[in-house]
Structure formats: C-alpha cells, structure tokens
Amino acid sequence: MTISEKDVRHVAGLARLRVEEQEIEPLVRHFEAILGHFAALSKAREEGRLNLDGVDPFLFSEREAPPLREDEPVRSAVRDDVLAAAPERKDSFFVVPRILEEE
Amino acid sequence: MELFALSAAEMVRGIKEKDFSASEVFASCLSRIEALEPELSALLALTAGRGREEAARVDGMIARGGEPGPLAGVPVVLKDNMCLRGVPATCASRILEGWIPPYDAKAAELLAGAGAVFAGKANMDEFAMGSSTEFSAFHPTSNPWDTGRVPGGSSGGSAAAVAAGYVPLALGSDTGGSIRQPASYCGLYGLKPTYGLVSRWGLVAFASSLDQIGPFARTVEDLALLLSVIAAPDARDGTCSRRERPDYTAPLAASSLRGKRIAVVKELDAMRSSVDSEVRRVLENTLNLCRDEGAEIVEVSLPVSLEFGLPCYYILAPAEASSNLARFDGVRYGLSRREDSLLDLYFSTRGAGFGAEVKRRILTGTYVLSSGYYDAYYLTAQKVRSLMKAEFRKAFGRCDLIALPTAPTPAFKKSELVDDPVRMYLADVFTLPVNLAELPALSLNGGFTGGEKPLPVGVQFIAPQWGEPELLNAAAVLERRLGKAPIAPLGAAAEGGNSR
C-alpha cells in the first residue's frame, strides 16, 4: 500500500484540517506505518490463518434493548450557559462568517 | 502518618468518627500537592477553593449528625476530559483551552453526591490519545517513581497524582489501556470496567464504542469503594446498562482463590522477545501466588486478539475519533480562528488547535472511512473485532480470569518514543483487546524491577462481561500477599532524580 502526498492532502481536506507543508511528509510515513501493520491481516488471510468469511462485522456483546423513556417534554435551561461559551454571538445566535453573497 | 497518606477508606472512617476533619484531610493533600507539583506536573487545574468549601460542607454535615456518603471528605482528582461545572475542561488540548463546561459529568455528580471533595483536574494525552502523557498540549507529567520517566497514558496525571499521594482516588478513562497502563507504570490499582457499567455522560468522547471511565487507587478496598459510587445507570448515556450493580465491596472478604481457574495465554510465549524480562518475571511470580492461594492455572488461546488486536484498534479508534472530533469547529466553543469564510474558519481553528498526534489520528480515521477504503479497512477491522469477542467468549468457557502483562515494559524514559508514535502504540498491545471485546480488566502492581531505581510492574487480569467482582476478589486475595500499592518515595528518595 503506497500513500501519496496527494492522498494526505485530500484526507486533510475531508477532515477540515489545515496541514502545513512540513507536516505532509511525516504524515505519509505515518500512514504507511499504520497501514503496514494492517497489511499483516491481508497476509494472514492469504495464508489461511485468518478467515473472515461470513463474520458479522458488528457482533455485539450481551446488550439490553435500547432504553426508552416516557415521551414527556422537559424544560432545558442551558441555552444561556451554552451561548456564553460562544467565540462570537449575537442575541441567541452563534456568529459565523457570511456563507451567502449579499444581493 | 500524615493524613494525605491514608487510604480513602481510612479517611472516611476517621472523618466520620471525628478523629480528624475533612478540612484537615484536604489541607494535608493540598500541601502535598503544592510540595510536589513543581516536580511532577500531574495537574492541569487545582480546585483548592471549591475543595475547601466541599470539605467544610462535609464537616458541617457530620457536626449536625448527618450522613455525607461513602466517600465523605475524600479528595479526588478527575482526568481533564471529564466535565466539572465551572472548572475548565481542556482535554489537554489548545482547542478547548479556556472552555468552562456548564454541567457536571455523571461520574462527577455521583462523586459529589457521595461526599467526595474535588482537588483538581489531571493532565493527560491530548483527547486521551497517547500512552505517555507527553502528548498533552500543556506540559508532560513525570513518573513519581522516576521523574525521568513517563507516568504512562493517557490518564498519566491521574495515576501520578495517586502514586505521589496527592489524593487516594482518581478517575481516568480507558479507550485502549489508558487507565491500566499508567496504573502499571505508577504501581497502582487501575480498573477498566465493562463497557456500559459507568456512564460516559460528560466525558469528552474519543472512541465511543471503546471509552469507559474507571478508578485508580492504592488499595483494593478503595478501588471497590470508588467503583461502587460511579457504577450506576444513567438514562443520558444510551450505552449505560440498566442492570443492577452488585456490592463491589463484598468480594473483598474472599479468603482464597480456591476453585478459581486463572488462565495464562498460550500466544504470550511466542511474544517473549517483545516483552521485558522483568515483566515476565513479575507475571510469573504473581501467577505463583495465585497457585499458592488455591487457583488452578490453565491455558487459553487468544491468537486473533494478540496478533491482530493492535492494527485493528489503530483503525477503529481513529475512525471513531475522526467523527467525534468533528465537533471542534471553532463555532460554538473553544478556540476560534476567525477567518473571512466559514470553511477557512474550520481549517484554521482545527489546524491551530489540535496537536500532532490528534491530527495523525483524525487523518488516519478519515482515510480509513473515506470512499473506496471503508471495506478494506474499517469493515475488515470490525470483523476482526467480532472474532476477538468470540475468541474471548470461548476462552472464558475454560477459565474465570485471564492473566496478561499490563504493558510489555515498565515505564519508559521521557522523549524515548515521542517521535515514533507507531512504536509507542505497542505499549497498548495487551490492553486494547479488552476494550475491543468490551470486557472489564484490572491492573495491579505485581512487583518492581531490580536495580538502583526500582520501577513498578503491573499485571493485568481480565474477566468476562460484568465480571468486576471476580477481578476485585482476586485483587483482594493477592493484596494480602503483595501488600498495598505504596506511595512513591518522593522527596528524600527523589533527590538526585534528574527531571529529564
């Protein structure tokens, strides 16, 4: 599995993460190391030591049914607390840069 | 003996019997913290004012003949990824610097209700991603047994605080070993509960299918006491079980291990070269003690977990993290780099706010979930995870507990692995299968390395789902042979200890 700098930039874009030029190359090496470890799995499968055929990918341990509560309205009084943490707010809104052009 | 050095249970007894007050206990712990914190840097925040008030409240309640609870006046420290209303919760990240949670984590709420007194918030690897606490964005923490070494991670601050005698109890969180590995490096008891035993409400999420809050302590009684308080149902965490919790202090009365089958793992032999010889010796010695106490030692096989657990974990945990950490966008709280466009605001804030290891994991997770790679990585890793669960289930048909090293080595030196993250991941090889299989496990101090500066070495016991009483039972019996976990000999013994 080879990873290119282009792959890393693409993924950083998907993750909305600014990655500096000097960070790219170490990240390529890191990806290769991680995925290299993972390649052991493919190898073991080829060698017949690991059989994933028909394995349920989401086998859960003993689980209870999802908890349900009564459908009763509850008043939540956290709005002001939450807004108090806003980097920038106006009234009860979070302020972000304009995302639509003005008419 | 100074008050800070007492166990939590001894503090509670003394406070309730008015031998000393909660305020005196808190003052003793505070002076211990103030004396050693410059050397250890275990904390990110000290909550002295709040703690004093809480201690005074406990004293007042006792004076009026009230019942302050099972942790009356016991100072505790929380890992900084748990919310405490009005106290900054940073997760040791720049992106959350200055954020003050408007609510208490369920675990914190339960502690307060039990009469515990908050002494501070503990340092950690940023967003719990790391095995040394060196990935804290603020400062590293020193191991109290050798300040030139790491305390382990990611709950390294919590572990160092208990090992140094700051407080008798602390909470950590464990996603792949983050309670057990620092417990091993610092010579403590650390328990990672069954997934779903403790509410994660108010714990900042790293990998939601793996994260679990758990206790650190220096005695088994204290560990059971703290577990009893935090193991409670919570409707606000949909994964928190509604089952009734047993009395976790009951197993402390166990007199021997007669009739217990404790398993060694067959595959460990083939891994000999990657496990430190002192770690192997301590494990062997602990197993001999189990045999002495009447346990039957059997052998089980965990080939998938030990060979493929690590790569599987380092696909799944980052995948979940990449999704969980998407919420840190600079819009609603925490760091915000204001830019002309919303997209630039996201990129700048996240680029500036996250440290190198967190970036690596977000990017790894995004990559393995991205179009075209999902089947090859994420889905394959999930299938391996299913095999691991089945493998543990089969093993527990033949034994009551499985014994493994907690970590392949004792505490490593600061800076030793910081530039080689993939090698640092190996520190989790014996702990992360437990999270993937949703099981409980306990690390206890099995002994020390030889040499001039002895380092503690942990032994891990793994139980079936909801098997915490079985773990506490074994730990209680072994504690009578091995002794309680000691407070690290800081001060005089630490003289000449180089800090790097």
Side-chain angles (χ1 to χ4, degrees):
Chain A
M1 185 79 220
T2 50
I3 308 287
S4 67
E5 295 192 359
K6 196 169 147 242
D7 291 329
V8 172
R9 285 200 185 86
H10 171 66
V11 169
L14 293 176
R16 304 286 185 261
L17 199 55
R18 177 154 299 151
V19 176
E20 304 301 333
E21 210 42 48
Q22 72 273 16
E23 292 178 285
I24 300 274
E25 203 268 326
L27 280 166
V28 169
R29 276 186 287 124
H30 181 77
F31 272 42
E32 284 179 339
I34 287 280
L35 302 177
H37 265 283
F38 202 71
L41 260 82
S42 322
K43 189 155 169 275
R45 290 173 79 176
E46 281 163 22
E47 293 167 0
R49 289 190 299 122
L50 182 68
N51 184 2
L52 298 179
D53 297 343
V55 174
D56 177 355
F58 298 100
L59 174 73
F60 292 109
S61 302
E62 175 207 318
R63 279 280 164 84
E64 297 154 15
L68 297 175
R69 58 173 167 77
E70 293 306 311
D71 186 17
E72 286 165 355
V74 179
R75 192 165 293 279
S76 170
V78 298
R79 196 184 73 170
D80 288 343
D81 283 341
V82 169
L83 282 162
E88 196 179 343
R89 67 180 279 199
K90 193 179 178 197
D91 304 324
S92 59
F93 299 100
F94 294 104
V95 175
V96 294
R98 179 178 297 280
I99 55 170
L100 294 173
E101 294 303 319
E102 266 179 286
E103 291 276 316
Chain B
M1 188 188 263
E2 296 208 54
L3 294 176
F4 71 79
L6 297 175
S7 74
E10 289 165 339
M11 287 178 181
V12 172
R13 281 192 284 271
I15 290 167
K16 287 188 176 172
E17 280 162 27
K18 302 187 192 171
D19 295 337
F20 42 80
S21 68
S23 299
E24 285 168 331
V25 169
F26 191 68
S28 173
C29 290
L30 211 55
S31 54
R32 179 76 176 170
I33 293 172
E34 278 159 3
L36 296 176
E37 187 58 5
E39 199 175 351
L40 298 179
S41 305
L43 303 180
L44 289 174
L46 190 64
T47 51
R50 179 188 175 126
R52 268 190 212 102
E53 280 172 30
E54 286 165 342
R57 201 174 312 137
V58 168
D59 288 332
M61 208 183 272
I62 284 175
R64 292 191 302 274
E67 170 52 57
L71 292 178
V74 177
V76 295
V77 156
L78 294 185
K79 186 177 182 178
D80 205 32
N81 57 355
M82 285 170 229
C83 294
L84 200 52
R85 190 187 169 95
V87 179
T90 66
C91 292
S93 180
R94 294 277 174 211
I95 210 160
L96 271 177
E97 199 172 4
W99 178 64
I100 297 176
Y103 69 108
D104 281 333
K106 175 70 175 177
E109 199 179 285
L110 290 165
L111 284 176
V117 171
F118 295 104
K121 301 290 292 292
N123 198 18
M124 55 187 281
D125 287 296
E126 185 176 358
F127 285 107
M129 297 174 188
S131 308
S132 69
T133 311
E134 290 169 295
F135 292 137
S136 166
F138 302 111
H139 50 72
T141 291
S142 302
N143 188 314
W145 290 92
D146 177 350
T147 51
R149 292 177 187 267
V150 303
S154 65
S155 314
S158 301
V162 177
Y166 285 13
V167 286
L169 297 175
L171 288 185
S173 66
D174 191 314
T175 305
S178 283
I179 291 172
R180 291 159 287 157
Q181 185 254 24
S184 172
Y185 285 11
C186 292
L188 302 171
Y189 293 99
L191 178 78
K192 181 260 160 197
T194 305
Y195 184 75
L197 189 76
V198 179
S199 169
R200 294 176 296 120
W201 171 262
L203 169 73
V204 179
F206 160 13
S208 305
S209 80
L210 304 163
D211 297 342
Q212 195 58 196
I213 291 174
F216 286 98
R218 295 188 304 263
T219 74
V220 183
E221 185 185 19
D222 282 7
L223 196 74
L225 202 58
L226 180 49
L227 183 67
S228 299
V229 169
I230 60 171
D234 182 11
R236 293 169 302 184
D237 175 359
T239 64
C240 187
S241 170
R242 283 157 290 157
R243 68 178 16 241
E244 203 175 314
R245 273 68 169 170
D247 174 6
Y248 294 109
T249 57
L252 305 179
S255 58
S256 78
L257 295 175
R258 235 180 303 282
K260 304 290 180 196
R261 295 161 303 166
I262 297 179
V264 295
V265 180
K266 186 173 163 235
E267 288 73 22
L268 191 60
D269 219 34
M271 299 170 77
R272 283 183 79 81
S273 60
S274 49
V275 181
D276 188 281
S277 62
E278 291 288 86
V279 172
R280 296 201 307 261
R281 180 183 61 78
V282 168
L283 174 65
E284 209 147 293
N285 181 52
T286 307
L287 286 165
N288 284 337
L289 293 178
C290 292
R291 201 179 284 123
D292 261 16
E293 291 293 334
E296 183 193 344
I297 306 297
V298 299
E299 190 183 74
V300 295
S301 181
L302 297 171
V304 178
S305 301
L306 289 188
E307 188 174 354
F308 306 115
L310 190 86
C312 177
Y313 177 87
Y314 280 98
I315 296 294
L316 296 178
E320 293 189 29
S322 71
S323 168
N324 273 326
L325 271 60
R327 71 191 62 174
F328 301 104
D329 57 9
V331 172
R332 290 152 302 147
Y333 46 81
L335 181 76
S336 184
R337 286 283 168 95
R338 306 315 275 188
E339 298 276 358
D340 291 338
S341 84
L342 184 59
L343 207 56
D344 283 340
L345 182 152
Y346 293 154
F347 275 99
S348 288
T349 300
R350 291 163 63 78
F354 290 132
E357 179 61 13
V358 175
K359 285 183 183 171
R360 283 192 282 269
R361 300 224 195 170
I362 289 175
L363 294 173
T364 308
T366 306
Y367 181 80
V368 300
L369 290 175
S370 66
S371 168
Y373 297 111
Y374 176 86
D375 282 7
Y377 294 115
Y378 183 78
L379 208 61
T380 302
Q382 280 291 4
K383 286 181 183 173
V384 175
R385 183 178 185 182
S386 292
L387 285 184
M388 290 170 62
K389 287 178 181 170
E391 177 175 277
F392 270 105
R393 202 172 295 167
K394 191 174 155 210
F396 283 121
R398 306 194 42 224
C399 65
D400 300 296
L401 294 173
I402 296 171
L404 275 174
T406 306
T409 67
F412 46 89
K413 291 198 173 97
K414 285 177 180 168
S415 308
E416 195 176 325
L417 297 178
V418 80
D419 295 322
D420 192 351
V422 177
R423 234 183 95 211
M424 197 187 291
Y425 295 170
L426 291 171
D428 303 334
V429 67
F430 297 125
T431 46
L432 52 80
V434 171
N435 301 72
L436 290 166
E438 307 182 20
L439 301 173
L442 179 150
S443 180
L444 55 81
N445 183 32
F448 290 85
T449 58
E452 202 179 313
K453 231 178 212 178
L455 296 170
V457 176
V459 173
Q460 176 182 222
F461 290 94
I462 307 167
Q465 208 182 12
W466 317 118
E468 285 81 2
E470 201 70 63
L471 293 170
L472 292 164
N473 173 333
V477 171
L478 288 170
E479 185 179 47
R480 274 174 235 139
R481 301 293 297 269
L482 292 162
K484 292 170 182 173
I487 291 178
L490 285 147
E495 266 169 43
N498 52 337
S499 67
R500 191 160 276 238

